[in-house]
Amino acid sequence: MKLSNLEKIISLRRALHQHPELSMQEKETMKILQNFLRNNTSLEICVKDGWFYACKKSSASVTSDAGNGGPIAFRADMDALPVPETINLPHGSQNKGISHKCGHDGHCAVVCGLALELDSRETDRDVYLIFQPGEEIGAGARRCSELIREKGITEIYAMHNLGGYPEGSLVYRRGLTQPASEGLRIRLTGKTSHASAPEKGNNPAGTIASIVQYALCASELTGQELHDSVNPPAQTPLSDTKNKITPVIQNLSMRLCTITGIRLGGGDFGISPGRGEICLTLRAELEEEMHAMEQSIISFAAQASAAAGLEMTYSVHDYFPETRNHDDCLDRVLDAARENKIPAISMQELWRASEDFGHYLKICPGAMFYIGNGEDYAPLHTAEYDFNDRIIETAVNMFMGIIGIPSAGAGKLFK
């Protein structure tokens, strides 16, 4: 890409890094991005409720073997994480307790870099650049996906930076590339009492312990065991339910239950608490398997709570669908890598982190791919992480190649 454009988007990326915002609160981020696009491109900008898109209209005089005539879209996510900035950066976060530790500042810069390159080119199809909120909580893509139907978009693509792979490499996986996940919160209510007379209250500690033990084993149940645990025989007493959680692994796809929080009382030695809460993250290759785990845990929790005389309620949060690449679109990604002489690496195992890009893929074909940060690069969601500016040009060239437009040559900002 043009050196001047590369310099601009690296400066933009670092400005975004200084002003991180949490999911669904990306007002300043949107303002910075919109001002950048208005000051540096002639693309049409349309502001929606909490998100926006830019559009490069096609030229009827241009034809391309790569294009199919239908509109194409690229997604950038805008939100940051509730993680303090603890490393010394000249462009460090100015918002206390919040930082871009997943690289969404870089994703936005890449899509803006695509906008700069497109502005001076003609295309054979409309190109939509979607700037999406709330990816970290699974809320943004569902809101923005209305654009797919509204504009008749026929393909959509996104990239993510990823450590553990050579810097600047293309990393990909056919079919399922990231799993479904959701958060499950279970609340138990009993009765508070003096710690010297626990029998006069109803402390949910024992029930919480049994639910946690069950949940940790639920990811290893076979499909039949999950069904039986949700629909136990009427004559089976609760005390025998533990027999159903013995792991029997039979060609299971990846399922994972992570306990992310347990709350019970305040540690006051004179009080036997009457309320408790468990937070879990459920993850599976298939959404139906995740839902089966969810229902199995809820069913067990309801039985255990009823047996202990506790009130049980639950809620589901941060729902992410499975992200499943379409073969034809992934072929376009691989073609773009070959055209740009970018080494491609096939992931043997899916990336366990969830991604709400799957909402778009339920509506139209598309693909999610990854650009390597470096084999020893700081992991995502850690305090040591900062987006690797060296991969920006590679990502922009990949997007250009997917559209079918040759890159303008290396900017060579980095040696």
Side-chain angles (χ1 to χ4, degrees), residues 186 205-218 257 259 261-262 277-280 297 300:
I186 298 172
T207 304
I208 286 176
S210 66
I211 294 171
V212 168
Q213 183 182 31
Y214 181 89
L216 291 175
C217 291
C257 174
I259 307 299
I262 300 174
E277 179 181 278
I278 314 163
C279 294
L280 318 92
I297 293 168
F300 179 87

Side-chain angles (χ1 to χ4, degrees), residues 180-221:
S181 73
E182 66 180 11
L184 176 61
R185 178 177 279 116
I186 298 172
R187 297 182 181 89
L188 304 179
T189 304
K191 183 179 179 182
T192 302
S193 67
H194 196 286
S196 66
E199 72 279 4
K200 294 183 178 180
N202 193 351
N203 189 326
T207 304
I208 286 176
S210 66
I211 294 171
V212 168
Q213 183 182 31
Y214 181 89
L216 291 175
C217 291
S219 63
E220 297 180 334
L221 298 179

